Amino acid sequence: MGYDFKIHPYARFKLHSIMPYIPGEPIEIAAKKLGLDPKMFIKLASNENPLGPSPLAMEVIKKEIEKLNLYPDDSFYYLKKKLSKLYDVPEDWIIIGNGSVEIIKMLASAFLEPGEGCMFSEHSFIMYKIATLSAGGYFVSIPEKNYKHDIEKFIRELSKKERFDIKIIFIDNPSNPLGTYLTKDEVDYFIKEVEKLRGESIILVFDQAYQEYIDEKDYPDVLEYVKKMKNIVVLHTFSKIYGLAGLRVGYAIAHPYIINALLRIRLPFNVNRLAQLAALTAVDDKEHIEKSKKVNNEGKAYLYSEFEKLGIFYLKSLTNFIFVDLKDEKLTKKIHENLLKKGIIVRPLRAYNLNTALRISIGTMEQNQRLIGALKEILKK
Ligand SMILES: *Cc1c(COP(=O)(O)O)cnc(C)c1O
């Protein structure tokens, strides 16, 4: 797919092996290609909040538009204060990024010397790979076990001599695109074992993009470790439950040793005015958060039961999407293409080398029912 793009032969060697990030297609473009009305389209491809942005956030940024001639607050005075209170950490333990993807990139750039490496699961969020390669590093990808991060394999790999140049481990918890998670016990064990091998010299990044959706009692609170150790990073985003993907805001919490390293390579004014204000407001929009969670939980239960009736293999998910595996490449392609013709965009996972799988974001109940109706029609044919 992405390899089609020719690049200048003088571009850095490593860049030749990067497959550019391929996002879910925007509704306008997908509709236009098919000659259909964008209004009849639903997008269940990028794990966006189907209820829209926080209404309170939308309201406040209207007035902010008048200030767009002014640079944004590069110290993030209000947003850092807010997050500092929310997590009970000092403000200098926080960095704000242009989406959490920017922070992922900063981490790789700040910690990898050329030729050093990162480690993550084979089907983890694809940005870890892109960030690693673009920083001139190499990666070790660890196959999952029963669709979950295989922490034993991580530890075994990390204990090899030739892996002493691994600087960062990225764990998306829960995983994207699988939706599965490591429990508190597993994370406790993992952090302890890594510490035995490498002390605090290796950066452990826990990407918790979906945390606000999660009620499971055994889901770990990594923040406790962040507060105690100098090598743990937790990543968060405003793109998911807060519904602000279009504005691009994410943040990381870690020991100032790490934050200060990232600040040295951060571009000035990396998060715009509207984004900062919207994020600040969305944090307190409890009504929108609760409603989003409820719609997601109901949609998830509905989709589970319908997939079961249809005999479609799926993974239980802690997120706002569900991983389904149709176990047949032709069928997967047929479903993806025919859903598109019916105005429903889901995410094929070819970029992850999962040619028989789809990632389907949970929509509103109406959207979920339309999806299931369409699936039934396609499978009948
Ligand atoms: C969606 C997602 C993000 C969010 O990225 P942003 O740049 O903040 O929009 C980060 N990590 C994972 C695992 C995700 O699924």
Side-chain angles (χ1 to χ4, degrees):
M1 289 158 83
Y3 286 112
D4 299 345
F5 301 109
K6 290 208 167 49
I7 71 172
H8 195 290
Y10 286 6
R12 276 173 41 231
F13 179 70
K14 285 266 178 185
L15 303 193
H16 294 261
S17 60
I18 297 182
M19 183 140 150
Y21 184 83
I22 301 167
E25 201 161 45
I27 286 178
E28 296 77 9
I29 313 289
K32 199 171 174 182
K33 275 190 191 164
L34 290 161
L36 299 172
D37 178 7
K39 278 197 221 75
M40 62 159 286
F41 262 74
I42 53 176
K43 187 174 169 205
L44 302 174
S46 301
N47 310 337
E48 293 147 332
N49 189 329
L51 298 182
S54 146
L56 294 183
M58 281 195 274
E59 195 50 42
V60 293
I61 62 174
K62 277 187 200 154
K63 278 193 224 96
E64 191 73 3
I65 289 175
E66 290 163 20
K67 296 188 195 155
L68 290 184
N69 57 318
L70 305 173
Y71 280 104
D73 168 20
D74 204 35
S75 73
F76 299 93
Y77 182 86
Y78 293 105
L79 188 50
K80 276 194 186 167
K81 228 181 201 21
K82 175 76 68 186
L83 295 173
S84 151
K85 237 196 215 137
L86 185 64
Y87 293 102
D88 190 26
V89 292
E91 285 157 40
D92 59 348
W93 289 57
I94 301 168
I95 185 167
I96 322 280
N98 199 271
S100 47
V101 293
E102 188 189 27
I103 303 178
I104 293 167
K105 190 144 188 279
M106 285 187 211
L107 281 161
S109 308
F111 284 93
L112 295 182
E113 297 288 358
E116 292 182 334
C118 294
M119 219 166 167
F120 37 80
S121 289
E122 187 177 354
H123 299 114
S124 271
F125 189 43
I126 214 151
M127 267 311 294
Y128 309 150
K129 195 181 288 181
I130 295 175
T132 303
L133 293 173
S134 80
Y138 82 101
F139 64 86
V140 178
S141 79
I142 308 289
E144 287 86 3
K145 187 175 174 185
N146 296 327
Y147 299 98
K148 264 180 69 166
H149 297 298
D150 187 348
I151 48 178
E152 289 297 347
K153 214 174 284 165
F154 270 87
I155 293 160
R156 236 179 296 137
E157 190 64 34
L158 200 64
S159 62
K160 293 181 185 165
K161 239 202 208 104
E162 68 267 28
R163 296 293 173 235
F164 218 76
D165 55 7
I166 294 290
K167 285 284 195 62
I168 307 177
I169 297 177
F170 287 104
I171 302 271
D172 41 358
N173 197 28
S175 152
N176 175 6
L178 300 174
T180 59
Y181 71 111
L182 291 178
T183 64
K184 180 175 181 341
D185 287 347
E186 289 163 333
V187 166
D188 285 348
Y189 171 79
F190 182 60
I191 291 178
K192 243 175 240 133
E193 291 302 307
V194 171
E195 195 185 6
K196 273 190 220 160
L197 285 170
R198 298 282 295 271
E200 296 188 3
S201 70
I202 197 161
I203 310 290
L204 291 182
V205 181
F206 291 90
D207 184 345
Q208 302 190 164
Y210 301 92
Q211 182 170 348
E212 296 82 2
Y213 283 108
I214 298 173
D215 284 323
E216 272 73 359
K217 293 269 181 306
D218 61 352
Y219 180 75
D221 185 6
V222 171
L223 200 61
E224 312 244 314
Y225 283 102
V226 171
K227 290 176 182 177
K228 280 191 298 212
M229 298 168 76
K230 293 188 187 65
N231 63 326
I232 315 281
V233 181
V234 59
L235 289 178
H236 288 280
T237 181
F238 283 95
S239 299
K240 303 290 154 64
I241 206 162
Y242 298 109
L244 299 177
L247 281 175
R248 317 300 307 122
V249 202
Y251 56 100
I253 309 173
H255 191 280
Y257 273 173
I258 293 179
I259 300 298
N260 290 339
L262 303 185
L263 287 176
R264 294 196 181 188
I265 55 165
R266 183 184 69 93
L267 290 178
F269 310 114
N270 60 326
V271 180
N272 73 66
R273 230 168 219 293
L274 304 183
Q276 289 194 36
L277 188 58
L280 182 70
T281 311
V283 172
D284 287 333
D285 194 345
K286 298 282 181 283
E287 198 184 323
H288 182 253
I289 298 168
E290 283 313 310
K291 211 163 140 193
S292 304
K293 203 159 145 181
K294 186 161 175 275
V295 165
N296 193 59
N297 284 338
E298 288 168 0
K300 199 184 288 181
Y302 167 74
L303 290 175
Y304 283 171
S305 85
E306 292 299 317
F307 290 153
E308 261 154 49
K309 281 186 229 161
L310 290 169
I312 292 175
F313 177 90
Y314 68 94
L315 296 176
K316 285 255 160 72
S317 170
L318 256 65
T319 67
N320 65 350
F321 62 82
I322 303 174
F323 173 93
V324 305
D325 193 341
L326 300 143
K327 314 277 186 189
D328 177 329
E329 202 166 329
K330 267 212 190 105
L331 179 65
T332 309
K333 203 160 171 245
K334 176 175 150 185
I335 289 178
H336 174 233
E337 284 168 2
N338 283 284
L339 282 176
L340 255 185
K341 284 185 199 150
K342 293 174 188 293
I344 302 170
I345 313 175
V346 298
R347 186 69 159 265
L349 297 172
R350 285 186 301 271
Y352 289 84
N353 252 334
L354 295 163
N355 296 338
T356 64
L358 296 170
R359 194 191 65 195
I360 301 176
S361 307
I362 298 164
T364 61
M365 197 48 93
E366 198 190 333
Q367 294 174 335
N368 298 328
Q369 284 166 349
R370 224 181 103 187
L371 167 80
I372 295 299
L375 262 178
K376 282 181 184 164
E377 275 177 37
I378 296 164
L379 289 170
K380 241 191 288 170
K381 270 191 261 165

